[in-house]
Amino acid sequence: MKKNLLAAAMLIIAASGYAQKVKPVLKLVKGNTYYLASSAHSVVKQTINGQLNNIDMTIDGKMSFKVLNADDSLYYMEVNYTKVGMKMVLATGTVAFNSDSRDTSNIMARIMQGITNKPFTASITKSGRIRSVENAENMISAMIDGIKEVPQAQKDQLKTQLTQSFGSSALKSNLQMSMAVLPETAIAKNDKWTIGTKLEGAMTAQINSVYQLMDVTPQSYVIHGSSTLATDNAAGYRTISNMPMKYNMKGTMTSDVVVDKATGWISSSKMKQNIDGTVEIKDNPQVPGGLTFPMTVTTETTTADH
């Protein structure tokens, strides 16, 4: 009799554990628009020729995601930057510009204005993986070509620099890093899953993240992530500020994410990233003989759905 009761109790516990499994997925509505607003504060420390150079930088942005269509596996979305701003505190002073500025003499403010409300398209899986980003380069070209007083050579340089930050490949990896936190299978509280992301932009890096379901509330899934980041040291030099440069960096990142249960959309997140290594500048007319210097970057990013 006792054995039967024990077996029944074990079955109840097992069934209860199975029932507690959840499958967080995106459940978005065609025609609806969803938002992500982020603020990233970075402190960059460089020692160049024995001279310490610090840069304190804040980048703010807000993006809208309108669901144009959906099928069994993908959402097809129209994406816009609705607001972009940047502030840099340098040894020489503070520089700030944003898309709300009406200063037509400030080229960078006009660039920020130029990339807002210029749609590009993205396809996103039900688990938040970015399958594709398209038409971002058209947004950049149209915006730069509209600045008539800038010489063509400078326009080409601006296009190259902006493509590294706002081109399709860069946007895909940045969106993936922000949005790809959901598991592919059903999970229970304290379960873990792994997601790999390739970062494209001024530097190429691999981010490997381990996420864990910390809690399930009536409204939310609470997720914690721990990540490692390492640049692809085999990658070639990239033109940055008109110079061939290469990053050799590695570091860690932690993230705490709250996901809305009803939609699967990120309600809020906080990320902390610490990376360090060296930057190589190849021999060029601006830096004869080339240069290698150490650099550390500490970044804290907050994101919200409004």
Side-chain angles (χ1 to χ4, degrees):
M1 183 67 174
K2 288 182 179 180
K3 287 183 179 180
N4 290 338
L5 288 172
L6 179 60
M10 291 179 68
L11 284 172
I12 292 171
I13 292 171
S16 174
Y18 180 80
Q20 291 172 2
K21 290 223 174 215
V22 294
K23 179 74 187 317
V25 295
L26 287 173
K27 293 175 281 188
L28 309 180
V29 178
K30 181 179 176 180
N32 282 9
T33 300
Y34 304 84
Y35 296 91
L36 284 178
S38 64
S39 180
H41 176 239
S42 299
V43 176
V44 182
K45 296 183 179 181
Q46 306 167 334
T47 303
I48 303 175
N49 294 327
Q51 185 76 29
L52 181 62
N53 179 37
N54 290 348
I55 302 172
D56 190 298
M57 179 169 57
T58 301
I59 300 175
D60 297 318
K62 185 174 182 178
M63 303 181 77
S64 65
F65 300 78
K66 183 178 180 179
V67 182
L68 299 178
N69 212 338
D71 56 30
D72 291 340
S73 59
L74 292 173
Y75 290 103
Y76 302 92
M77 312 189 86
E78 178 186 88
V79 187
N80 277 285
Y81 280 98
T82 61
K83 185 176 182 179
V84 186
M86 178 182 291
K87 178 182 178 181
M88 292 188 293
V89 181
L90 310 170
T92 55
T94 299
V95 179
F97 33 80
N98 63 72
S99 57
D100 291 336
S101 173
R102 294 295 176 262
D103 183 2
T104 58
S105 65
N106 188 320
I107 295 297
M108 289 307 300
R110 288 172 62 185
I111 288 174
M112 295 295 175
Q113 293 170 20
I115 64 175
T116 57
N117 301 310
K118 300 293 192 302
F120 57 93
T121 56
S123 58
I124 304 175
T125 71
K126 299 297 175 71
S127 57
R129 311 304 192 266
I130 310 301
R131 181 66 58 83
S132 67
V133 171
E134 298 176 347
N135 302 324
E137 285 74 16
N138 295 339
M139 167 188 72
I140 293 169
S141 294
M143 179 266 297
I144 294 295
D145 291 340
I147 305 175
K148 303 299 183 183
E149 66 271 29
V150 174
Q152 188 59 47
Q154 189 177 350
K155 285 183 179 182
D156 293 340
Q157 183 180 345
L158 283 170
K159 286 180 183 179
T160 299
Q161 292 177 342
L162 287 170
T163 298
Q164 290 172 351
S165 299
F166 298 100
S168 295
S169 295
L171 286 173
K172 180 181 178 182
S173 59
N174 289 337
L175 289 174
Q176 178 91 345
M177 190 166 67
S178 300
M179 299 176 64
V181 300
L182 302 179
E184 297 281 9
T185 59
I187 52 169
K189 186 177 177 180
N190 296 320
D191 280 355
K192 296 180 179 181
W193 61 98
T194 301
I195 298 175
T197 301
K198 187 175 182 180
L199 184 65
E200 297 278 1
M203 65 180 179
T204 301
Q206 179 66 32
I207 301 175
N208 294 316
S209 304
V210 177
Y211 291 100
Q212 184 175 18
L213 181 63
M214 305 303 295
D215 197 9
V216 180
T217 73
Q219 293 81 29
S220 306
Y221 301 111
V222 181
I223 297 170
H224 176 77
S226 298
S227 310
T228 59
L229 178 151
T231 57
D232 181 3
N233 294 336
Y237 290 87
R238 297 197 174 189
T239 301
I240 302 169
S241 298
N242 214 27
M243 293 186 294
M245 300 176 66
K246 183 167 73 169
Y247 293 91
N248 302 294
M249 311 286 289
K250 62 181 180 179
T252 60
M253 182 173 70
T254 60
S255 53
D256 290 288
V257 186
V258 179
V259 175
D260 181 68
K261 286 178 75 172
T263 63
W265 196 253
I266 293 174
S267 298
S268 64
S269 69
K270 294 181 179 180
M271 291 190 290
K272 294 182 179 181
Q273 184 184 79
N274 295 282
I275 60 175
D276 63 78
T278 60
V279 180
E280 297 179 33
I281 302 177
K282 194 176 182 180
D283 176 40
N284 69 89
Q286 294 185 62
V287 185
L291 179 68
T292 299
F293 58 88
M295 182 172 77
T296 65
V297 183
T298 302
T299 302
E300 294 189 10
T301 304
T302 58
T303 302
D305 62 355
H306 56 273

